[in-house]
Amino acid sequence: MLAAAALAAVLGFPARPSQPAEPAPDFTTAPYGRTAGAAAEEAPPPAQAPPPRRVLLPDVGVDARVAPVGVTDRGDLAVPDDPSVAGWYRYGPAPGSVAGSAVLVGHVDSDTGAIGEFAGLYDVRRGDRVEVRRAGADPVRYRVLSRVTVPKEELPPSAFRRTGVPVLTLITCAPPFVPERGGYLSNLVVTAEPVESGRAQWPT
Amino acid sequence: MIHRTRLVIAASAGACALALGVSSPALAEQQDQAMVSVFHGIPGMTVDVYANGDELVGDFKPGTVTDPKSLDAGTYDIQIFEAGQSPDGTPALQKKIEVPEGANATVAAHLSADGKPELTAFTNDVSQVEAGKSRLTVRHVAAAPAVDVRAGGQPVFTDLTNPKEDTAEVDAGTLNTDVVLAGTDTVAIGPADLKLAEGTSNVVYAWGSADDKNLALATQTFSGMASSPRGVPAGGSGAAVATNSADLGPAWAAGAGAVAVAGVLVARRVVRRRG
């Protein structure tokens, strides 16, 4: 009986995929991926910046510990199981590197039902502040440039580029949520640009 | 760099030669480039390398490999002279090498299995490597019998003979490797730690002579082959979208128990998918 109910619940999903609770619409300043840098392909890899330890978005209340991550056996980005922890894609640039996209990723929610720290990304707006604290180095500051929602299979490769202008890319999952197709079908991708190091304050 | 200047001369000479071979000079301008590097694996002999009569590499020492250089695609008459000898004489080695458009090739001067100097052109696989991986290629260019290449004591490549190569994508990181006589535990070279960076292609030359007890490894690395992870599975139960679960209607609201069970089913599916 319970199993039948569960089945019904699962089957009941596709007709009405869940929608986010009226998030702010996505925004971009330019077509996503405009900075993909083929020209810099020949450049030697820059010296590695120190690893990130913590990421904060004070405007939306995100404050997450950061752990380095790689890929799973099947080649997916290995997202930390704990939704309060963000993963830094350690094969790509670190935040503060002179080139390329530093990727931080976090679960929007966990298999146990906890809401992830990166769920706060649903509320970011252009110009929001991002701070990445690092081991043995000054924090790096960014401001949000764009937020896009893309089907998971269309995650722009530029999010993982290793060359071109430096950006911070924050990724989590986004609705629609369709359990029988593996859960969330989209990725929310927030791109932030470095705030010039000369400025003591974030721009307002 | 002296080498670069020499190379430009060699390249333009190559283009001229090719222009003679085609019906219209305009075609020559459309010729694509190829990346060419040279490996020197003949022990005890410093050499000069000439391509179509122009010096490509001078004072080239054994066990070294040049950086890849862009050359016009085409046929090159490669000549190897003992360093400082006049290129008008008889070369120690000579071979015509075809360099196709868009290719990335390494010309290896090395010993055959029975110890005779020879030239072999290898094509370097510089296609994208899967995220988290590194490409490892081993080329047997030594005066030695068939070998196995092991990593952490386990065979990665088996029964490799001169002048063959074998290649595999392996997890990026440091690999403790050695080379053994095929089918035995008799170590011929190593052990040696290979640092295989993610998104790179690493070519290891097993070179030298078993008889002269100077077998060694030399490595050539190509970078810029990184690719993105397949996907970013950053969601779990759907709890983050459950705030509007009322939208799902009475059927959904009917039983919290059903929701919980469905959640578990989903979790299991997700775990399996990740596996």
Side-chain angles (χ1 to χ4, degrees), chain A residues 20 23-28 32 122 146-152 154-156 172-176 185-190:
Chain A
D26 287 346
F27 52 90
T28 62
Y32 192 81
Y122 284 20
S146 71
R147 187 190 71 204
V148 295
T149 308
V150 293
K152 275 191 173 171
E154 291 171 26
L155 193 64
T172 189
C173 271
L185 299 188
S186 295
N187 281 128
L188 188 78
V189 183
V190 172

Side-chain angles (χ1 to χ4, degrees), chain B residues 94-269:
Chain B
Q94 181 167 20
K95 190 173 186 176
K96 274 194 163 48
I97 302 282
E98 189 76 33
V99 182
E101 290 181 5
N104 187 315
T106 300
V107 179
H110 65 98
L111 298 176
S112 66
D114 54 6
K116 293 190 178 65
E118 63 179 25
L119 282 170
T120 304
F122 292 97
T123 301
N124 302 314
D125 184 353
V126 290
S127 59
Q128 283 202 319
V129 182
E130 276 193 54
K133 302 282 185 183
S134 182
R135 182 178 293 118
L136 174 64
T137 300
V138 176
R139 293 174 179 160
H140 185 336
V141 288
V147 297
D148 297 340
V149 179
R150 305 187 302 185
Q154 297 300 310
V156 181
F157 305 123
T158 55
D159 212 20
L160 193 59
T161 56
N162 183 322
K164 298 273 174 44
E165 64 178 344
D166 207 345
T167 191
E169 278 192 18
V170 299
D171 288 341
T174 299
L175 216 55
N176 185 258
T177 57
D178 60 9
V179 177
V180 296
L181 298 179
T184 75
D185 289 323
T186 308
V187 176
I189 312 175
D193 279 344
L194 295 178
K195 287 197 175 66
L196 305 175
E198 196 258 357
T200 63
S201 207
N202 305 270
V203 180
V204 176
Y205 298 87
W207 68 284
S209 163
D211 285 348
D212 295 339
K213 301 195 187 321
N214 57 9
L215 292 175
L217 299 178
T219 306
Q220 180 178 26
T221 298
F222 302 91
S223 57
M225 276 136 276
S227 54
S228 302
R230 280 175 195 270
V232 183
S237 64
V241 293
T243 48
N244 61 340
S245 60
D247 287 353
L248 295 168
W252 173 253
V259 174
V261 173
V264 169
L265 289 177
V266 170
R268 282 192 181 149
R269 290 164 64 103

